[in-house]
Amino acid sequence: MDVSEPAIRVEGLVRSFGRTQALRGLDLEVPPGTVTALLGPNGAGKTTLVRILATLIRPDRGTARILGRDVVREAFAVRSLIGLTGQYAALDELLTGRENLRLIGRLAHLGERRARARAEDLLHLVGIAEAAGRPVTTYSGGMRRRLDIAAGLMGSPAVLVLDEPTTGLDPRGRIEVWELIESLVRQGTTLLLTTQHLEEADRLADAIAVIDRGRIVASGTDEELKRRVGGEVLEVRLADAGQASRARAALEPMAAGPVRVEGALVSVPVRHPSGAVVHAVRRLDAAAVEAEDVALRRPTLDDVFLVLTGHAAGADPEPDVWRVA
Amino acid sequence: MSATFGPLERISWGLYDTAVLTWRNLLRVLRNPIYLVTEVVIQPVLFTLLFAYIFGGAIHISGASYLDFLMPGIFVQTTTFGSMNTAVGLAEDLEKGLMDRFRSLPVAYWAVPVGRVLADLVLDAFGLGLMVAVAYAIGFRFHGDAGQTLAAVGVVVLWGFSIACFGALLGVLLRRTSTVQAFGFVAMFPLTFASSTFVPVQTMPGWLRAFSSHSPITAVVDTVRHLVLDTPGGGSSTLAAVAWSLAVLAVSVPLAAYGFRRLTR
Ligand SMILES: Nc1ncnc2c1ncn2[C@@H]1O[C@H](COP(=O)(O)OP(=O)(O)O)[C@@H](O)[C@H]1O
Ligand SMILES: [Mg+2]
């Protein structure tokens, strides 16, 4: 293991499934001891990348290395370096939480004593020590996800990969998982996590890489990305959707990026949030546009996407004439 | 595998993985009392009692009691059906994402199917033991000597192993529990019934007899039956039974291994 190597280095990764190009030349680097969020909409290629890194599938072209080890040629070595928690919990429902972790520990070849000890440590770390003796069928979604993350940690991997760790969780489960990830980050775990939510990437990661249709389209800190989006977003809900184009014209001069209109909702990226609401209300008044609500919100993945790629997140690159609006 | 691994280390590493996974598969059964009671306990006992008492009165076999004639058939049918558990178990691991978890760990690629097959053989053995006990209580006897009885057990176990490996192939080929179950229902019932399992094939109409007398199930059942009833002339069926078992193994093992490697496409 070479310490000067990045924890993850991906170069020119290409992978297709039949006619679908899931990855089209993806580059990514994750330095040791850092947290990188791979931010992208459904279908962007996040899971495909994660599965290649975990040696579950092979790339068609390009290379991926974990601490210098090639995921194809040195797959067996890579499996001892990487811990994976997939998008869907991979737990044995009939076994207890404790039995699940011990099983993974044995299969990670920790030896019986260490497998048992590490299982107990992790059950405490992820906060399911009291439920450890119950079968997983009785666990809530948040508990399953935390147990699944613990399973990814059993082999003390050098790199932990979490694929959409909070997708499908209720708000409470999401906060539990966030707190767990934050405690891992404090311990210096090298982490790659995928997400569809800018807020999540923002909260958990040092660096964010935005993925769109199999390529990284932007990367940097959340501040850098938000600067490109233009800070915050002013949202205007019109009383009458028919006035949308007049509202757009009125607000365009104060926009820091493309203005988006969806029915009666007009979104305007603004660079200087202070005074933006008052400013907008005056402009709308002057244009005789009636607004039901004017508010500032933080940019979402959709805003980031619109600015970075010029199309909405998840939208098809080709015009889809038969799509029902 | 890494270059620092000699062949012996690789095998012992994989055997450890296999032992861990076999234990996990058995623990799952203990944790699933309904499955344990219905599939592992009630089904073999029910089959024994139902067939013995329902067919027993109607079917007369010259030179043997129907129960003694029947039991070798039931042994083979139970192990043959058992292969569907192998297939369903692997398909379930594929569906639930556990296969991905195992494959993302430094586990020998063959340990997952082999651990599955071994666990199912343990369950088969348990079911067979139970059936023998129940059948003994209602009058069944092994008529051969200890060597013949042991040989009978050996033939059933060899067949059980081969057909479980075929089950592993089905699991990795079909990949969905619902598909495996549908296949099992459609293929396993005709295969086990159109054979000498319950009645002598001579009683069947010509076309069915042609099929049944060439069925591997018939070969295995006849072999076990000769050994249990201590009747002469079992030589050709023994040869066929062993040949069939080895043929099923020779097809299933490499193809299943290929299927498992291909999961990493
Ligand atoms: N096994 C597969 N077979 C066919 N298409 C696939 C397969 N896996 C992924 N894809 C396709 O590849 C693209 C990227 O998928 P994925 O990596 O799962 O995206 P994400 O995880 O970002 O939602 C999608 O268009 C998806 O439909
Ligand atoms: Mg995904």
Side-chain angles (χ1 to χ4, degrees), chain A residues 17 20 22 41-48 87 164:
Chain A
F17 298 98
T20 312
N42 222 346
K46 302 182 296 295
T47 299
T48 304
Q87 191 168 344
E164 299 200 21

Side-chain angles (χ1 to χ4, degrees), chain B residues 109-160:
Chain B
Y109 76 95
W110 46 268
V112 176
V114 176
R116 181 79 247 170
V117 167
L118 289 182
D120 290 328
L121 284 185
V122 171
L123 295 177
D124 277 354
F126 182 79
L128 288 171
L130 203 63
M131 280 189 294
V132 170
V134 170
Y136 241 82
I138 59 172
F140 166 74
R141 291 294 178 268
F142 287 100
H143 295 276
D145 56 25
Q148 283 168 305
T149 302
L150 225 63
V153 172
V155 171
V156 173
V157 168
L158 174 65
W159 173 251

Side-chain angles (χ1 to χ4, degrees), chain B residues 184-229:
Chain B
F185 193 76
V186 170
M188 285 293 154
F189 274 90
L191 192 67
T192 53
F193 278 82
S195 72
S196 63
T197 302
F198 301 105
V199 295
V201 293
Q202 291 81 351
T203 62
M204 299 176 187
W207 58 272
L208 186 57
R209 190 191 324 157
F211 175 86
S212 300
S213 50
H214 292 98
S215 156
I217 308 284
T218 299
V220 179
V221 170
D222 286 354
T223 305
V224 178
R225 196 165 275 154
H226 279 295
L227 291 164
V228 166
L229 298 178

